[in-house]
Amino acid sequence: QLSESGGGLVQPGGSLRLSCVASGFNFGNYAMSWVRQAPGKGLDWVSGISGGGTQTYYADSVKGRFTISRDDSKSTLYLQMNNVRAGDAAVYYCARHNVYTANWPDPWGQGTLVTVSS
Amino acid sequence: QSVLTQPPSASGTPGQRVTISCSEGSSNIASTSVSWYQQLPGAAPKLLICNNHQRPSGVPDRFSGSKSGTSASLAISGLRSEDEADYYCAAWDYSMLAWVFGGGTKLTVL
């Protein structure tokens, strides 16, 4: 099970940290990703991290602004969002990969909503 | 840049068989596996097909996937009203080291 939190209202240029708490599996053994969905739009992969956190991956649209990390002792995935833009407004889902990042993401959490407005 | 192209909409009547296509616009992902997701209104995406054609446990065998060359397809047979949802294909781009999702297909059961 995956449960996201940390969403909310953020001003353009502001920062926000999302969290995703995992349960029911050995978190440290699995790659994880963040995928977002703007209102009425399709799915947009944001970032991924390998099991153990040695490798991280980012969509070009968020490189240099977002940082993915994990704390395996807390079974928690994070997404630090800096210099947030209007286009970052979306529901953010965390998802577990089938061990490796290149394998399909499933299951997904219920999502947390990020709203960007001044 | 990798692109997965899906038709924006599809429709069928109960009991019919419908097919949703997913065309890969980049050779970067032509050799990788395609996954398919179903997203019901207000819900998180749910995996339907992985590795082009494999169904996870619990997914009805009415759903099937295939891939040939640079195109993949999701077929739904015995269409039901509860199949009305958005469907997405996805693949890992080994060159860009990123996941790519298709734009999604809204399935309407008439």
Side-chain angles (χ1 to χ4, degrees):
Chain A
Q1 186 175 357
L2 300 170
S3 181
E4 304 94 335
S5 61
L9 177 64
V10 59
Q11 293 184 341
S15 297
L16 203 62
R17 189 176 84 155
L18 307 183
S19 299
C20 169
V21 177
S23 61
F25 62 96
N26 192 337
F27 180 75
N29 288 349
Y30 290 85
M32 301 290 296
S33 273
W34 290 98
V35 181
R36 67 186 178 184
Q37 186 170 34
K41 302 298 184 181
L43 301 173
D44 181 31
W45 177 82
V46 173
S47 181
I49 187 167
S50 62
T54 55
Q55 294 175 312
T56 57
Y57 310 91
Y58 297 94
D60 288 343
S61 58
V62 306
K63 272 180 190 173
R65 300 188 300 120
F66 291 9
T67 302
I68 191 171
S69 63
R70 61 192 298 158
D71 185 337
D72 292 346
S73 68
K74 296 181 179 179
S75 296
T76 301
L77 175 73
Y78 301 102
L79 185 68
Q80 178 66 42
M81 306 169 60
N82 296 333
N83 191 18
V84 172
R85 303 168 180 169
D88 296 322
V91 173
Y92 283 72
Y93 297 100
C94 67
R96 187 192 78 179
H97 290 272
N98 185 28
V99 182
Y100 303 111
T101 315
N103 290 338
W104 55 94
D106 184 72
W108 301 47
Q110 84 289 347
T112 187
L113 178 63
V114 172
T115 302
V116 182
S117 176
S118 54
Chain B
Q1 184 176 351
S2 302
V3 175
L4 294 178
T5 302
Q6 300 179 234
S9 63
S11 63
T13 56
Q16 260 191 334
R17 181 178 188 270
V18 297
T19 302
I20 298 172
S21 63
C22 174
S23 298
E24 300 172 27
S26 167
S27 60
N28 294 338
I29 52 178
S31 59
T32 67
S33 298
V34 173
S35 305
W36 288 92
Y37 296 86
Q38 177 193 59
Q39 187 176 33
L40 297 170
K46 171 193 169 185
L47 181 69
L48 285 179
I49 299 289
C50 57
N51 281 339
N52 300 324
H53 62 87
Q54 294 179 342
R55 274 189 314 274
S57 174
V59 175
D61 59 7
R62 301 187 298 107
F63 295 91
S64 62
S66 64
K67 184 182 177 189
S68 178
T70 58
S71 292
S73 294
L74 172 71
I76 309 172
S77 59
L79 199 62
R80 298 181 179 182
S81 58
E82 56 260 38
D83 298 332
E84 191 161 283
D86 294 325
Y87 293 83
Y88 296 90
C89 59
W92 174 253
D93 186 326
Y94 279 94
S95 176
M96 295 182 61
L97 298 181
W99 272 89
V100 179
F101 285 88
T105 299
K106 182 175 184 60
L107 175 64
T108 301
V109 181
L110 302 171

